[in-house]
Amino acid sequence: MLMHRRRQGSWLQVMKPDEHPDEYPEETQVAHGETGTVSLVLGVAAVAMYGSPFLFFLPSWIRFLPLYLTVPMGICAIVFGACVLYRMRGDEKADRRRARAGFALGTVPLAVPIVLLVWLEWALQR
């Protein structure tokens, strides 16, 4: 049995399933819009991790550990960005810039290893 809860004053009242949440318009109008911030943060972090080998003052295992996390974080950025863009499909007022930027930045950590492997294969065949 699904029951909705709403706050009125300092008491928490439980709504019965036959009560409609449309009776309380001040609570139904508050919608949490998706902005794609998670996708953007994951994409930026994945790209920034490529700079970790240049931190010479740290031990080598700490410098190179983030490189192993770039591809999974890039995949997560792409998935979160695609999900948010899918949910924003019919909304003309939605701001898609963060989701698109996160999606684009998430593709960079996936493209860099592929380009390096293709270049390495090409260089070894010569």
Side-chain angles (χ1 to χ4, degrees), residues 72-117:
M73 287 186 77
I75 291 171
C76 289
I78 290 172
V79 169
F80 282 121
C83 289
V84 169
L85 287 173
Y86 180 76
R87 288 189 197 122
M88 289 180 178
R89 255 188 324 166
D91 192 8
E92 289 83 24
K93 294 183 275 182
D95 188 15
R96 295 172 176 84
R97 290 181 292 180
R98 290 182 185 173
R100 287 180 181 160
F103 190 88
L105 286 171
T107 58
V108 171
L110 296 177
V112 168
I114 292 171
V115 168
L116 286 175
L117 287 174

Side-chain angles (χ1 to χ4, degrees), residues 1-8 11-24 27-28:
M1 177 186 237
L2 181 64
M3 301 184 93
H4 301 282
R5 294 177 185 236
R6 69 179 186 95
R7 186 173 287 277
Q8 180 181 13
W11 296 95
L12 185 65
Q13 294 182 346
V14 177
M15 291 175 43
K16 306 279 189 292
D18 56 337
E19 292 183 27
H20 297 288
D22 297 335
E23 297 172 356
Y24 313 103
E27 292 183 14
T28 57

Side-chain angles (χ1 to χ4, degrees), residues 40-54 66-67 69-71 73-74 77 101-110 112:
L40 180 64
V41 168
L42 286 172
V44 167
V47 171
M49 284 185 189
Y50 277 122
S52 66
F54 300 115
L67 290 178
L69 300 174
T70 56
V71 172
M73 287 186 77
F103 190 88
L105 286 171
T107 58
V108 171
L110 296 177
V112 168

